[in-house]
């Protein structure tokens, strides 16, 4: 490569990306009533604003209901094929090292079809943040059993309930990522109550800060309620998270290399 081309490349690579964060006022929730994904979108917007990183945040979208975030978060984003958001985010981050790059993925996207992309991005210690929205099944396509479906949970593909002796137990992604040496941060939050909303917000700030401080890969799993595929009213689905989902997927930080503890 000649010197001129290198100079141009250097300029492209080091130029700060142009991004804007707009939370449109008139655009109401465009998803099922009571869906937890919308609350995660609100957390992302609040955290980006409070951390003052709206001009350098870039977002790789998974395939599924989780991608609804792109309607509300008007920063730069890339739509990714199912499972590949961590790989796309890796590319964006390597070209724009000063950007804060994160993915928004469902559990099917992140730990079924995308398990390889996720684990290897973590293993390489990519300085990105992966957000995995865990609603215990495939929301978009009608509620099929997924890697996080609870033991005994009825879905369209487990009409008698998930049977662990045939289908295994649900995968605990936040704990799994915490075992990867190049992962700097791994936590699990939920959005079924104001208290858990605030806790998850704190975790997202820590995950982004860990990326900004170049610590390594950061991961945040967020339990979200899916009233539609759980066949529940919204308040009942929030209660179901507390009584059934959180006991299987405990909330907390599983790894925080910035912590003094
Ligand atoms: C390669 C590929 N396989 C399958 C699909 C179909 N598909 C789209 S969304 C989706 C499920 C998404 O479920 P999940 O990742 O759990 O996200 P949620 O909708 O629950 O947020 C599937 C199977 C696809 N788009 N591309
Ligand atoms: S199907 Fe479930 S995850 Fe998808 S928008 Fe509706 S409530 Fe949310």
């Amino acid at each position: 490569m000649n010197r001129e081309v290198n100079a141009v490349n250097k300029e492209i690579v080091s130029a700060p990306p142009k991004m804007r964060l707009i939370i449109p006022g008139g655009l109401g929730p465009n998803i099922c009533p009571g869906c937890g994904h919308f609350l995660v979108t609100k957390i992302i917007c609040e955290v980006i604003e409070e951390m003052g990183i709206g001009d350098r945040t870039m977002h790789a979208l998974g395939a599924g209901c989780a991608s609804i975030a792109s309607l509300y978060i008007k920063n730069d984003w890339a739509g990714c094929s199912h499972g590949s958001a961590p790989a796309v985010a890796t590319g964006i981050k390597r070209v724009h090292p000063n950007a804060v790059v994160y993915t928004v993925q469902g559990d099917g996207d992140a730990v079924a079809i995308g398990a390889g992309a996720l684990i290897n991005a973590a293993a390489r210690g990519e300085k990105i943040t992966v957000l995995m929205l865990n609603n215990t099944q495939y929301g978009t396509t009608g509620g099929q059993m997924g890697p996080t479906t609870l033991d005994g949970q009825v879905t369209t593909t487990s009409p008698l309930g998930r049977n662990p002796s045939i289908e295994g137990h649900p995968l605990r992604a936040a704990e799994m990522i915490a075992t990867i040496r190049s992962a700097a941060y791994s936590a699990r939050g939920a959005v079924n109550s104001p208290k858990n909303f605030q806790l998850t917000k704190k975790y997202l700030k820590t995950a982004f800060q860990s990326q900004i401080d170049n610590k390594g890969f950061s991961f945040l799993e967020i339990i979200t309620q899916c009233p539609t595929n759980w066949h529940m009213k919204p308040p009942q689905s929030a209660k179901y998270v507390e009584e059934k989902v959180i006991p299987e997927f405990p909330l907390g930080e599983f790894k925080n290399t910035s912590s003094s503890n």
Side-chain angles (χ1 to χ4, degrees):
M1 209 179 277
N2 67 35
R3 193 173 290 174
E4 211 178 324
V5 174
N6 265 335
V8 170
N9 278 347
K10 194 164 173 232
E11 196 179 313
I12 292 168
V13 169
S14 59
K18 283 243 173 288
M19 283 162 280
R20 290 176 307 141
L21 173 67
I22 299 170
I23 307 165
L27 189 62
N30 237 319
I31 40 183
C32 309
C35 176
H37 285 12
F38 186 69
L39 292 166
V40 174
T41 303
K42 189 166 156 50
I43 286 179
I44 296 170
C45 291
E46 288 187 9
V47 166
I48 290 175
E49 284 202 338
E50 288 173 22
M51 293 183 81
I53 53 175
D55 61 343
R56 60 179 179 128
T57 327
M58 299 179 93
H59 168 154
L61 281 175
C65 295
S67 65
I68 200 82
S70 64
L71 279 179
Y72 300 93
I73 306 173
K74 296 293 176 196
N75 57 7
D76 281 359
W77 56 266
C80 308
S81 60
H82 211 28
S84 66
V88 173
T90 295
I92 295 172
K93 181 73 180 191
R94 287 187 179 200
V95 174
H96 293 296
N98 293 324
V100 179
V101 183
Y102 65 99
T103 77
V104 183
Q105 303 173 259
D107 48 277
D109 189 285
V111 284
I113 194 167
L118 172 66
I119 289 168
N120 285 294
R124 293 191 306 270
E126 300 295 347
K127 313 295 185 293
I128 61 171
T129 302
V130 167
L131 302 188
M132 182 189 107
L133 278 48
N134 173 357
N135 58 10
T136 73
Q137 38 73 48
Y138 287 71
T140 314
T141 45
Q144 294 86 4
M145 185 175 68
T148 58
T149 298
L150 305 179
D151 287 342
Q153 187 178 348
V154 171
T155 69
T156 53
T157 51
S158 56
L160 302 178
R162 179 179 189 150
N163 179 347
S165 67
I166 298 174
E167 285 121 9
H169 294 292
L171 193 68
R172 292 182 174 143
E175 288 88 333
M176 179 182 76
I177 295 293
T179 66
I180 297 176
R181 270 194 288 170
S182 306
Y185 185 77
S186 186
R188 181 182 297 112
V191 287
N192 64 317
S193 67
K195 181 174 158 241
N196 287 341
F197 180 96
Q198 292 304 335
L199 182 75
T200 305
K201 214 174 136 179
K202 192 177 121 222
Y203 290 161
L204 183 57
K205 277 187 180 163
T206 314
F208 279 167
Q209 194 58 51
S210 156
Q211 178 181 162
I212 291 164
D213 295 342
N214 259 327
K215 298 272 181 196
F217 183 84
S218 52
F219 181 79
L220 176 58
E221 174 176 342
I222 307 174
I223 298 169
T224 59
Q225 48 274 28
C226 174
T228 301
N229 289 313
W230 293 355
H231 307 288
M232 293 175 190
K233 299 269 188 233
Q236 195 189 353
S237 69
K239 202 160 168 250
Y240 182 79
V241 169
E242 201 65 47
E243 292 175 354
K244 301 283 184 200
V245 188
I246 292 176
E248 175 64 43
F249 296 109
L251 309 187
E253 287 180 324
F254 300 95
K255 187 171 195 181
N256 183 355
T257 55
S258 307
S259 152
S260 49
N261 300 328

